[in-house]
Amino acid sequence: MPLIGMALVVIAVIAAVVFLDRTHRRQPAVQQAPPPAVERHKLPPRGPDRPVVHEDYTGVIHHPAEPQRTQRPTGPGTLAVVIDDMGKGLPEARALMDIGIPLTFAIIPGLPKVRRVAEEARQRGIEVMVHLPMEPKGYPERRLEANGLLLSLGDDEIVGRVNGYLNEIPQAVGANNHMGSEFTENRQKMAVVMGVLKERGLFFVDSKTSPVSVGDAVAREMGVRTAVRNVFLDNIQEPGYIAKQLRQAASIARKRGSAIAICHPHPATIQTLAAELPRLRDEGITFVSVSRLVR
């Protein structure tokens, strides 16, 4: 009997251990409480003795760098600005004259307001040239005024047309070429034109619509005062581009002493000239009529 009693005690102990182990496994694990949240941007309480201070947000905010402002160059130089293709209307001519800077108008003969533009320009002290229409490369696909100078014309016809231009615009003191990338490469035909200008005592400005133009060379050979265009201002009719081209012309004028720029009476050009020419004048550029720069 004692053995049986001891066995029963052992069995009871083992059963109790098993029961406690199973009970422990069924109980859910105790979860750890999350750490308290950190309020990084909590505003301090308002109060009369404690002003509100807004803390910076976490992280680095990159602000765009301020654009570097380059100082505009200044210094002396002489610049002539020629306005080509004048004679279509009076409003643009008057807007240009109102800028109050010496300019030169190159007027195409045969346009509707040629005489009015030329006379008002003379009265306002604006120099006038004849803008000689000359055959371009690609003619006749590239249009030219009906009264233009063509390589197919005889010499007498060329002389007659040039004299007709000058009679239509008696205020003209010189001439430059309108288009003419083909015509100005022809030495013989350019000599015919220079003969008329010399007889009239006028000068010639080579617009250099062809890089191999012989206009200025023939003029010098024949004793006609001449000069060459340095910069076209408005091949792109956008104010920023035109202003950049003006600064280039001013830079050439400062380096070489003088320069000639050519542009047209487009709205963007007039707007930019009105803004930039007085500024360049204040920076040391002297504006003159183009006759001052021919030699």
Side-chain angles (χ1 to χ4, degrees):
M1 285 297 293
L3 290 174
I4 295 172
M6 290 180 64
L8 291 173
V9 171
V10 170
I11 292 170
V13 170
I14 292 173
V17 170
V18 171
F19 175 79
L20 290 173
D21 180 69
R22 289 180 178 178
T23 303
H24 176 73
R25 288 184 183 182
R26 283 197 298 267
Q27 288 181 354
V30 178
Q31 295 187 352
Q32 299 259 341
V38 178
E39 295 180 327
R40 294 189 178 185
H41 312 298
K42 184 176 180 180
L43 297 179
R46 298 176 182 267
D49 300 325
R50 191 169 184 182
V52 175
V53 178
H54 296 268
E55 297 180 7
D56 291 335
Y57 285 94
T58 305
V60 178
I61 299 174
H62 295 280
H63 296 282
E66 294 246 348
Q68 295 290 333
R69 293 191 178 183
T70 57
Q71 187 174 1
R72 288 172 61 110
T74 61
T78 302
L79 180 60
V81 178
V82 177
I83 316 295
D84 278 357
D85 296 0
M86 296 299 291
K88 295 177 183 177
L90 286 168
E92 62 265 28
R94 289 168 178 163
L96 287 161
M97 290 186 281
D98 287 344
I99 296 173
I101 296 287
L103 301 170
T104 300
F105 285 0
I107 302 176
I108 299 177
L111 293 183
K113 301 295 182 181
V114 165
R115 297 183 187 276
R116 290 284 303 278
V117 169
E119 183 55 27
E120 286 202 24
R122 185 193 66 79
Q123 292 173 0
R124 299 277 298 270
I126 297 292
E127 188 169 80
V128 170
M129 291 194 299
V130 172
H131 200 28
L132 302 168
M134 293 179 167
E135 181 177 334
K137 291 185 183 298
Y139 177 84
E141 284 74 20
R142 289 192 64 190
R143 296 180 59 187
L144 179 69
E145 284 73 15
N147 60 348
L149 304 179
L150 305 175
L151 293 177
S152 60
L153 298 176
D155 292 355
D156 289 343
E157 179 65 18
I158 291 174
V159 169
R161 291 195 178 194
V162 174
N163 275 314
Y165 305 155
L166 299 174
N167 291 337
E168 184 180 0
I169 311 172
Q171 299 88 347
V173 295
N176 72 332
N177 55 291
H178 168 53
M179 305 182 77
S181 53
E182 188 74 41
F183 196 96
T184 59
E185 293 181 3
N186 188 293
R187 178 173 290 273
Q188 189 270 325
K189 294 299 185 182
M190 287 301 293
V192 175
V193 174
M194 294 305 157
V196 178
L197 297 182
K198 182 176 182 180
E199 184 179 327
R200 296 272 193 141
L202 307 181
F203 60 81
F204 177 72
V205 174
D206 193 339
S207 301
K208 280 293 181 184
T209 54
S210 166
V212 293
S213 168
V214 297
D216 61 318
V218 172
R220 294 185 192 284
E221 292 169 7
M222 296 182 63
V224 175
R225 293 177 300 142
T226 189
V228 176
R229 181 271 311 165
N230 298 104
V231 179
F232 276 123
L233 299 180
D234 55 356
N235 287 337
I236 299 173
Q237 295 169 39
E238 193 276 318
Y241 174 85
I242 298 166
K244 178 181 72 70
Q245 293 297 97
L246 266 172
R247 289 192 294 272
Q248 180 186 352
S251 177
I252 294 172
R254 290 185 174 109
K255 291 177 182 177
R256 302 181 186 177
S258 63
I260 297 173
I262 289 180
C263 58
H264 305 82
H266 303 304
T269 304
I270 297 172
Q271 171 192 342
T272 307
L273 293 181
E276 293 293 329
L277 296 189
R279 187 177 305 170
L280 287 171
R281 178 188 58 196
D282 294 342
E283 293 168 357
I285 295 297
T286 300
F287 291 95
V288 297
S289 301
V290 78
S291 61
R292 294 272 301 275
L293 301 184
V294 297
R295 299 288 183 267

